[in-house]
Amino acid sequence: MNPPSAVTRPSRPPAGTPNIRTVAWATMIGTAIEWYDFFTYGIAAALVFNTLFFPADTSPLVGTLLAFSTYAVGFAARPIGGVVFAHFGDKVGRKSMLVLSLLLMGGSTFCIGLLPGYSTWGAAAPLLLVALRVVQGFGVGGEWGARPP
């Protein structure tokens, strides 16, 4: 005859461990803000950036294609940011890399909002826009690569 087995309750996580719902909620909010930012940039690229950041004598089609190419640069920089931030996240710590990636993304978004147009700075305006989009995409990729497990 087998002895009665004791029913064991699942152990509670340590006091400092966040609840899975809290982590899921925070992740959802971060992702929603990130995609809202890229969605808003896409709308601005389609409606405003073709005339704001490129010469006035450029055809509307070419201006729109150039504006969307600045949009694509952000997506192209994502995998690079993910690889770099994941590498340094393993060495330095994922939490600090996540904070750095959020600062990069937020700072570059803020600077894009302050960037003057082609009529003010000439060819430097679209070049700075592309550079800021690279930083923004790098930061977004770093957010995915630096998330704590």
Side-chain angles (χ1 to χ4, degrees):
M1 188 169 197
N2 292 335
S5 60
V7 176
T8 58
R9 292 184 177 174
S11 63
R12 289 187 171 173
T17 306
N19 184 356
I20 190 69
R21 287 188 177 131
T22 305
V23 172
W25 185 249
T27 302
M28 184 183 74
I29 289 172
T31 303
I33 290 171
E34 167 195 334
W35 282 106
Y36 173 77
D37 178 53
F38 269 81
F39 177 74
T40 305
Y41 187 90
I43 291 174
L47 300 176
V48 178
F49 288 174
N50 59 348
T51 58
L52 184 64
F53 286 106
F54 302 103
D57 59 346
T58 304
S59 76
L61 175 65
V62 172
T64 303
L65 289 175
L66 289 171
F68 277 129
S69 67
T70 64
Y71 187 58
V73 166
F75 285 102
R78 281 180 169 204
I80 300 165
V83 169
V84 170
F85 274 82
H87 171 74
F88 285 109
D90 289 340
K91 293 187 182 262
V92 177
R94 294 196 180 271
K95 193 172 190 178
S96 60
M97 290 292 102
L98 179 61
V99 169
L100 179 62
S101 70
L102 291 173
L103 288 173
L104 280 175
M105 190 175 82
S108 62
T109 302
F110 179 75
C111 290
I112 287 172
L114 296 177
L115 194 61
Y118 186 85
S119 62
T120 306
W121 280 11
L127 292 176
L128 285 172
L129 178 65
V130 169
L132 289 170
R133 285 294 295 166
V134 168
V135 171
Q136 190 180 44
F138 191 78
V140 171
E143 180 185 347
W144 286 97
R147 288 208 174 156

